[in-house]
Amino acid sequence: MLLFGSHARGDQDSRSDTDLLLITQEDAPRHVMNGHLSTSFYSFEDLRSRAQNGDLFVCHIVRESIPIYDPVGQLNILRSEFSFRQSYGDEIQRATDLGWFLVEHGMSIGSGALVNKRIAWCVRTILISRSAETGIPVFSALSLAEFAKSNAVLTLVKNKDETIIDAEILRDLEVLLASFGGDRIFRPRGSYSDYRRRFDSTMNKVGLGTLRADAVASLGYHE
């Protein structure tokens, strides 16, 4: 069992999640959220393969996690076998695609909480990826803001627990996407259907999950 995230770094606040990784014998990874307790379940074989492939989640683990119970030293093995990729362009582009979807359609999404959580995910994914490409990845909101030289990053990340959609937040996201994101695929604007096809073709699981969650929240249909 490994502790990672803000509680491992020591920069948590009253709204921070407690992030745990449990190494199991399960075939497929899964994630369980219970209040502010966030638990990820992965097999060691999966984590090891991801480490060798420079996976960003495993990067997070090997760079800053604290072992709570690791009797055979699996964390040290992951650290020794982790290898950065030269490019995290795929991760950046998937987060960019979702970011532009939120900029263009965020105000019409039924759940403000969903929008704000996805904004934070986009910002973190893009900036962690950009910093990982330098070989010195950073993860905390403050470190990401310093990397981007933008105080707006702090607001974009810390706003993840808010339930109101703020137009200014969406404008700050647009600026960040233009500065650090990948290509903007749809100009001047993509429809819901455009983004659905894009997320499907690029295997953007977070993007597709966002569309499904919005459909449940709003009980509506978007053209």
Side-chain angles (χ1 to χ4, degrees), residues 143-194:
S143 295
L144 292 171
E146 292 172 347
F147 175 81
K149 297 180 173 61
S150 169
N151 290 331
V153 169
L154 279 173
T155 304
L156 289 166
V157 174
K158 294 289 188 180
N159 199 57
K160 69 182 180 66
D161 293 318
E162 299 298 326
T163 59
I164 303 298
I165 302 172
D166 187 334
E168 185 174 348
I169 290 289
L170 294 175
R171 286 192 293 272
D172 287 341
L173 175 61
E174 182 174 0
V175 171
L176 183 131
L177 292 172
S179 299
F180 294 97
D183 295 332
R184 184 176 183 179
I185 301 302
F186 302 113
R187 291 178 182 272
R189 177 184 173 93
S191 68
Y192 250 68
S193 295
D194 289 333

Side-chain angles (χ1 to χ4, degrees), residues 43-57:
S43 71
F44 182 64
E45 291 75 17
D46 189 5
L47 290 169
R48 196 169 186 175
S49 175
R50 290 170 182 264
Q52 294 164 354
N53 192 40
D55 180 83
L56 285 177
F57 174 71

Side-chain angles (χ1 to χ4, degrees), residues 5 18 78 96 120 136 138 160 170 194 203:
T18 299
L78 295 175
T96 299
I136 309 174
V138 294
K160 69 182 180 66
L170 294 175
D194 289 333
M203 295 181 289

Side-chain angles (χ1 to χ4, degrees), residues 12-138:
Q12 74 274 12
D13 58 33
S14 60
R15 298 192 298 178
S16 297
D17 296 333
T18 299
D19 299 296
L20 295 177
L21 170 63
L22 272 62
I23 300 176
T24 73
Q25 300 297 321
E26 298 178 16
D27 292 333
R30 62 188 177 96
H31 177 257
V32 176
M33 194 76 190
N34 185 6
H36 282 288
L37 177 61
S38 173
T39 308
S40 299
F41 299 81
Y42 283 79
S43 71
F44 182 64
E45 291 75 17
D46 189 5
L47 290 169
R48 196 169 186 175
S49 175
R50 290 170 182 264
Q52 294 164 354
N53 192 40
D55 180 83
L56 285 177
F57 174 71
V58 181
C59 180
H60 200 167
I61 297 301
V62 301
R63 298 291 289 200
E64 63 173 28
S65 65
I66 297 172
I68 297 175
Y69 182 73
D70 183 19
V72 295
Q74 291 174 315
L75 176 57
N76 285 335
I77 294 172
L78 295 175
R79 283 173 170 162
S80 69
E81 296 191 1
F82 184 85
S83 177
F84 285 108
R85 299 179 203 161
Q86 287 188 335
S87 171
Y88 287 89
D90 288 345
E91 288 83 354
I92 291 168
Q93 190 59 54
R94 283 192 287 268
T96 299
D97 289 343
L98 178 54
W100 282 113
F101 167 77
L102 296 171
V103 167
E104 295 171 10
H105 297 280
M107 295 302 292
S108 65
I109 289 177
S111 168
L114 173 64
V115 171
N116 291 322
K117 286 183 185 301
R118 292 299 189 263
I119 288 173
W121 179 85
C122 292
V123 171
R124 285 180 51 80
T125 299
I126 290 169
L127 294 179
I128 291 171
S129 296
R130 291 296 188 193
S131 67
E133 290 178 339
T134 72
I136 309 174
V138 294

